[in-house]
């Protein structure tokens, strides 16, 4: 179709109905009257741009150098110099909700993603199920003739649908509308050794950390290759690429040389860094000249009050994070370069969204070498002495690290609070850059209209000349809830069109309306244990006038109670409209599937596994934590003996396995990569078919206790041992359970992943749980920690 021809398709119903052309049907194809129009591949309207959406993870407004931060992001700066910066663009304060909203053009509760998938309930706004009346943007574009591909993180799959058996309705390359997907499912991943999927098929990384592998580089390689191939084979067909690396979510993994570029730059601490960033933001003009720097809350320790012996570790945490963000931006730049080298950058609409929420404050005030220690309530194991001994390993494959709450606060300059706090701009305001030379005349401009992540989808549709569909796959669609930003591309002074927006996350909530914001913080993200949450009606609300208070620094609630009351009422109206109610700050009830009302794959007190099963998340396997259990394996051993893994759960940063070494069965329990308890049998497993059993007798008396181990062959004891302590809450946010081999990092250094495959034959493996279940004793706040581990 040329630009002069009208679009003949009725695109409001998708797929576009086939309409056979009327005319003469001849008997013989050789008849001169035989005429049929040529088959024309489906294409969007003429002039529709390519689309690239880049979404970074856990980057605060004050982190990127493009918005005055200390982390150098030359790619973001380059795009901004040729396009527009939006300094009042907003997310939902949490990753999965922001992503669900971005990809649908609807509010996160409207698509069932009120929080993360791991805390889903049966309430419509928190179910983690996107209604089929709200088709994703990728599906709409694909059915209109776009090539579609996603690379990176997907945290929108309900936990009971994340096993190798699906169903795959919510996976990117199935119901998500992406023809290609390469990345990971879940909230975070090991950047050095990720659990990857190509479509719905588990795959291993193409190289090892020792060979220089890093996930962000791999994702960029895949994206560049896909874009080149797409343009080589279908040059007239536009693409939609969603590039969403797991960076810079914890663990903060980056090659050492990138972190070393920032050596010594953060030695003066987070309070000083906020002042520096604030000054730089004013110098760049990304915040108004009259903006004020908000004060530090009492919950955040001043740098001067942190232990002196810990400060070298704290500074290194930030050096590693800064290197991680610069490294990520570099690989985003490679994708941009590939598009430019193909000569199609001019008509490629690029969104570079610098963060899916505010900076993450989930690392405690001390930060962490292995963040799983905190999520298991065992952060005390990481003493200042321990952290100092590991300072040179932060960011390396031996770490699973996070930075201090103080750095998260600094990376959210000039705002209050951090990720999860949807009430304040520190949790929801993310710097965003839009670059589209064919559609934006101004270069290096600034836009200050209020915008939100739900505005991206309608903007793309308008830019492509596509109508919002009213029917997709036979289902009538509800209206898109965002507002196209296209009106602001050509007019910095245009009156904002998105002038009403609610916010809510874990009870932290707020409302924006025509410059005003009314907000209330219900929960502090890093206070996961202890502390009493007030009743919702007892929450203290604040009021801010955004017309002259960009950063929410001057609380007017006491001076203007009527305005506050009006906005509170408006919040309630919007909350009812978009399925926000009922508000839900429950903890234990939301972690337990039965109490939450969501399905579970695991039922009863035993589970059977078969050889070759793998990539099973903790949600797909019975929990052996805080109780006795027995692992029974039916195996065949060849005449020369056997080696390898029978079953393994977790990996280097915590887990357990039953494996065979030098013919002898061994049980290994790894506590957070800090302590390893090994029980080895006293003799090899004889050749032939045998029952190998490991029984763990839990001590009881609370959580995280140890227990006695007994290994037996065909009922005869073959070895005994002792486990001194266990992990009570979670082994890993990304490692899995495998039968007959081990993917990812290994539970023990006694073997590598390449050496892990069992050389005998496994008929089946069964886990049976004991009756001494101590999980009921888990404090509700501790249970919430499990969910937070997977954001």
């Amino acid at each position: 179709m040329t630009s002069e021809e009208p679009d003949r398709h009725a695109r409001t119903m998708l797929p576009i109905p086939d309409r056979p052309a009327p005319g003469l049907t001849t008997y013989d194809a050789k008849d001169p009257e035989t005429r049929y129009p040529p088959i024309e591949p489906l294409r969007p309207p003429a002039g529709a741009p390519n689309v690239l959406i880049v979404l970074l993870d856990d980057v605060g407004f004050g982190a990127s150098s493009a918005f005055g931060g200390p982390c150098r992001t030359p790619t973001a700066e380059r795009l901004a110099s040729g396009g527009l910066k939006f300094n009042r663009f907003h997310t939902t304060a949490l990753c999965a909700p922001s992503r669900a909203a971005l990809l649908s053009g609807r509010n996160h509760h409207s698509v069932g993603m009120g929080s993360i998938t791991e805390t889903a309930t049966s309430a419509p706004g928190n179910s983690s199920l996107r209604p089929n009346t709200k088709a994703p943007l990728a599906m709409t574009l694909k059915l209109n003739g776009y090539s579609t591909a996603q690379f990176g993180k997907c945290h929108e799959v309900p936990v009971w649908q994340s096993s190798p058996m699906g169903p795959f309705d919510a996976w990117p390359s199935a119901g998500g509308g992406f023809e290609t997907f390469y990345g990971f499912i879940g909230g975070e991943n090991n950047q050095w050794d990720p659990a990857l999927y190509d479509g719905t098929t588990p795959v291993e990384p193409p190289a090892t950390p020792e060979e220089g592998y890093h996930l962000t580089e791999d994702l960029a390689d895949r994206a560049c290759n896909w874009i080149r191939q797409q343009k080589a084979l279908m040059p007239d067909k536009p693409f939609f690429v969603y590039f969403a690396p797991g960076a810079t979510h914890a663990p903060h993994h980056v090659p050492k040389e990138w972190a070393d570029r920032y050596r010594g730059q953060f030695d003066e601490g987070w309070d000083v860094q906020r002042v520096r960033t604030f000054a730089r933001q004013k110098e760049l003009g990304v915040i108004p000249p009259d903006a004020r720097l908000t004060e530090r809350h009492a919950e955040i320790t001043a740098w001067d009050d942190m232990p002196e012996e810990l400060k070298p570790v704290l500074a290194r945490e930030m050096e590693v994070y800064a290197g991680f963000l610069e490294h990520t931006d570099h690989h985003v730049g490679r994708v941009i370069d590939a598009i430019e080298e193909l000569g199609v950058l001019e008509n490629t609409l690029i969104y570079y969204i610098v963060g899916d929420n505010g900076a993450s404050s989930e690392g405690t005030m001390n930060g962490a070498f292995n963040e799983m220690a905190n999520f298991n309530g065992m952060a005390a194991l990481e003493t200042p002495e321990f952290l100092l001994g590991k300072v040179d390993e932060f960011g390396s494959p031996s770490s699973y690290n996070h930075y201090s709450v103080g750095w998260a606060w600094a990376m959210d300059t000039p705002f209050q609070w951090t990720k999860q706090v949807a009430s304040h701009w520190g949790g929801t305001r993310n710097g965003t850059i839009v670059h589209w030379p064919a559609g934006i005349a101004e270069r290096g401009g600034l836009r200050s209209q209020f915008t939100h992540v739900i505005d991206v989808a309608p903007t793309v549709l308008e830019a492509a000349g596509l109508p919002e569909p009213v029917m997709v796959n036979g289902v009538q669609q509800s209206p898109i809830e965002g507002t196209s930003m296209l009106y602001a591309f050509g007019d910095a002074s245009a009156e904002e069109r998105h002038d009403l927006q609610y916010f809510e996350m874990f009870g932290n909530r707020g409302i924006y309306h025509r410059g005003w914001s009314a907000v209330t913080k219900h929960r502090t993200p890093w206070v996961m244990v202890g502390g009493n949450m007030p009743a919702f009606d007892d929450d203290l609300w604040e009021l801010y006038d955004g017309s002259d208070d960009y950063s929410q620094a001057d609380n007017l609630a006491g001076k203007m109670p009527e305005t506050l009351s009006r906005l509170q009422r408006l919040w309630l109206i919007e909350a009812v409209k978009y399925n926000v109610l009922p508000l839900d700050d429950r903890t234990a009830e939301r972690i337990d599937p039965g109490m939450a009302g969501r399905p579970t794959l695991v039922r009863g007190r035993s589970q059977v596994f078969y050889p070759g099963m793998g990539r099973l998340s903790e949600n797909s396997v019975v929990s052996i934590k805080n109780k006795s259990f027995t692992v029974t394996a039916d195996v065949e051993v060849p005449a020369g003996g056997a080696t390898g893994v029978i079953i393994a759960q977790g990996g280097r940063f915590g887990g357990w396995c039953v494996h065979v070494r030098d013919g002898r069965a061994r049980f290994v329990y790894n506590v957070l990569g800090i302590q390893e308890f090994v029980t080895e049998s006293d003799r090899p497993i004889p050749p032939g078919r045998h029952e190998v059993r490991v029984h763990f007798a839990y001590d009881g008396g609370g959580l995280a206790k140890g227990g006695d181990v007994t290994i037996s062959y065909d009922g005869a004891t073959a070895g005994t041992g002792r486990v001194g302590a266990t992990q009570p809450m979670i082994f890993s946010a990304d490692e899995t359970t495998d039968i007959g081999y081990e993917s990812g990092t290994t539970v023990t250094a006694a073997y590598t992943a390449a050496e892990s495959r069992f050389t005998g034959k496994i008929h089946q493996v069964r886990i049976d749980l004991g009756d001494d279940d101590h999980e009921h004793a888990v404090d509700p706040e501790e249970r919430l920690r499990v969910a937070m581990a997977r954001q």
Side-chain angles (χ1 to χ4, degrees), residues 232-521:
L233 298 177
M234 299 179 176
D236 63 329
K237 185 174 185 177
F239 61 71
F240 171 49
V241 172
Y242 175 40
F243 188 75
T248 55
H249 196 293
H252 300 159
H253 284 160
V254 69
K256 184 175 182 294
E257 60 269 22
W258 289 82
D260 286 347
R261 297 180 182 189
Y262 292 88
R263 182 75 71 176
Q265 294 188 27
F266 302 105
D267 290 352
E268 294 181 81
W270 41 74
D271 295 285
V272 170
Q273 184 57 56
R274 276 198 42 117
V275 173
R276 288 176 176 165
T277 297
F278 184 65
R280 179 60 177 156
Q281 288 172 332
K282 286 200 170 184
E283 180 183 334
L284 287 176
V286 294
I287 64 175
D290 60 356
R292 282 160 283 182
L293 182 61
T294 56
E295 297 181 358
R296 176 172 42 78
H297 290 276
E299 293 92 330
I300 304 170
T301 306
W303 175 263
D304 289 345
D305 293 335
M306 294 298 291
E308 284 297 323
E309 67 271 20
L310 194 59
K311 287 182 178 178
V313 175
L314 296 170
R316 185 57 176 171
E317 291 170 2
M318 186 60 217
E319 291 167 5
V320 169
Y321 178 82
F324 192 20
L325 180 51
E326 183 176 356
H327 177 265
T328 303
D329 178 83
H330 167 77
H331 288 291
V332 172
R334 293 177 52 226
V335 179
I336 305 301
D337 289 343
I339 294 172
E340 186 171 32
E341 289 163 5
L342 290 167
V344 296
L345 185 63
E346 176 77 14
N347 196 29
T348 298
L349 171 59
I350 300 173
Y351 266 88
Y352 192 158
I353 305 172
V354 190
D356 55 355
N357 41 244
S360 170
S361 58
E362 295 144 352
T364 79
M365 281 308 306
N366 287 353
F369 182 71
N370 178 2
E371 66 170 345
M372 290 299 116
N374 181 38
F375 296 137
N376 279 283
M378 305 170 81
L381 291 175
E382 295 197 340
T383 63
E385 293 76 19
F386 172 84
L387 292 171
L388 278 167
K390 296 289 188 179
V391 67
D392 292 331
E393 296 179 48
F394 273 76
S396 74
S398 66
S399 69
Y400 208 86
N401 53 305
H402 205 325
Y403 62 8
S404 167
V405 168
W407 291 124
W409 173 64
M411 295 304 101
D412 285 320
T413 303
F415 307 117
Q416 302 179 55
W417 301 114
T418 61
K419 175 184 177 180
Q420 293 191 35
V421 185
S423 50
H424 292 72
W425 299 148
T428 63
R429 186 164 284 180
N430 288 91
T432 294
I433 295 160
V434 181
H435 183 277
W436 184 24
I440 300 173
E442 186 177 356
R443 303 290 183 263
L446 179 70
R447 296 294 183 268
S448 294
Q449 290 90 347
F450 182 95
T451 49
H452 191 272
V453 69
I454 62 174
D455 297 338
V456 175
T459 306
V460 170
L461 292 180
E462 185 178 1
L466 294 172
E468 178 182 337
V470 297
M471 189 81 72
V472 176
N473 293 323
V475 179
Q476 186 171 342
Q477 299 295 292
S478 65
I480 284 179
E481 294 160 9
T483 303
S484 172
M485 299 164 58
L486 207 66
Y487 75 95
F489 288 3
D491 187 356
S493 61
E495 183 177 350
E496 70 184 24
R497 297 183 183 178
H498 190 149
D499 61 2
L500 174 61
Q501 179 63 46
Y502 84 89
F503 295 89
E504 193 278 334
M505 193 65 62
F506 300 125
N508 300 319
R509 54 204 189 276
I511 186 84
Y512 171 85
H513 187 226
R514 297 177 182 173
W516 290 88
S517 59
V519 303
T520 181
K521 185 183 77 68

Side-chain angles (χ1 to χ4, degrees), residues 588-746:
E589 297 89 344
R590 294 187 67 169
I591 300 303
D592 183 276
M595 298 178 75
R598 63 176 178 269
T600 178
L601 291 177
V602 183
R603 295 178 177 85
R605 303 192 64 79
S606 67
Q607 189 171 10
V608 177
F609 306 90
Y610 295 96
M613 291 177 66
R615 286 289 186 82
L616 305 176
S617 69
E618 288 190 39
N619 292 295
S620 303
V621 179
V622 291
S623 174
I624 55 91
K625 304 176 190 75
N626 311 302
K627 61 177 71 72
S628 299
F629 64 91
T630 302
V631 178
T632 305
D634 181 357
V635 301
E636 277 188 55
V637 175
T643 62
V645 168
I646 294 175
I647 182 172
Q649 181 175 41
R652 172 184 291 159
F653 305 103
W656 62 274
C657 70
V658 178
H659 76 108
V660 180
R661 183 181 183 185
D662 299 327
R664 302 177 183 226
R666 303 171 94 230
F667 176 75
V668 180
Y669 198 105
N670 171 1
V671 180
L672 298 168
I674 298 174
Q675 297 173 297
E676 185 176 288
F677 301 98
V678 180
T679 300
E680 185 171 33
S681 59
D682 55 18
R683 59 187 181 274
I685 308 171
R689 186 166 179 174
H690 300 280
E691 179 187 86
V692 177
R693 177 173 293 181
V694 175
H695 177 67
F696 176 77
Y698 188 64
D699 289 342
L703 305 182
K705 305 300 182 181
D708 295 324
V709 179
T710 303
I711 301 176
S712 62
Y713 301 157
D714 301 320
T717 298
T720 60
R722 174 82 185 159
V723 172
T726 57
Q727 290 180 216
M729 302 304 302
I730 182 173
F731 289 118
S732 174
D734 57 354
E735 300 277 5
T736 55
T737 297
D738 305 297
I739 312 301
Y741 72 105
E742 186 169 6
S743 62
T745 65
T746 56

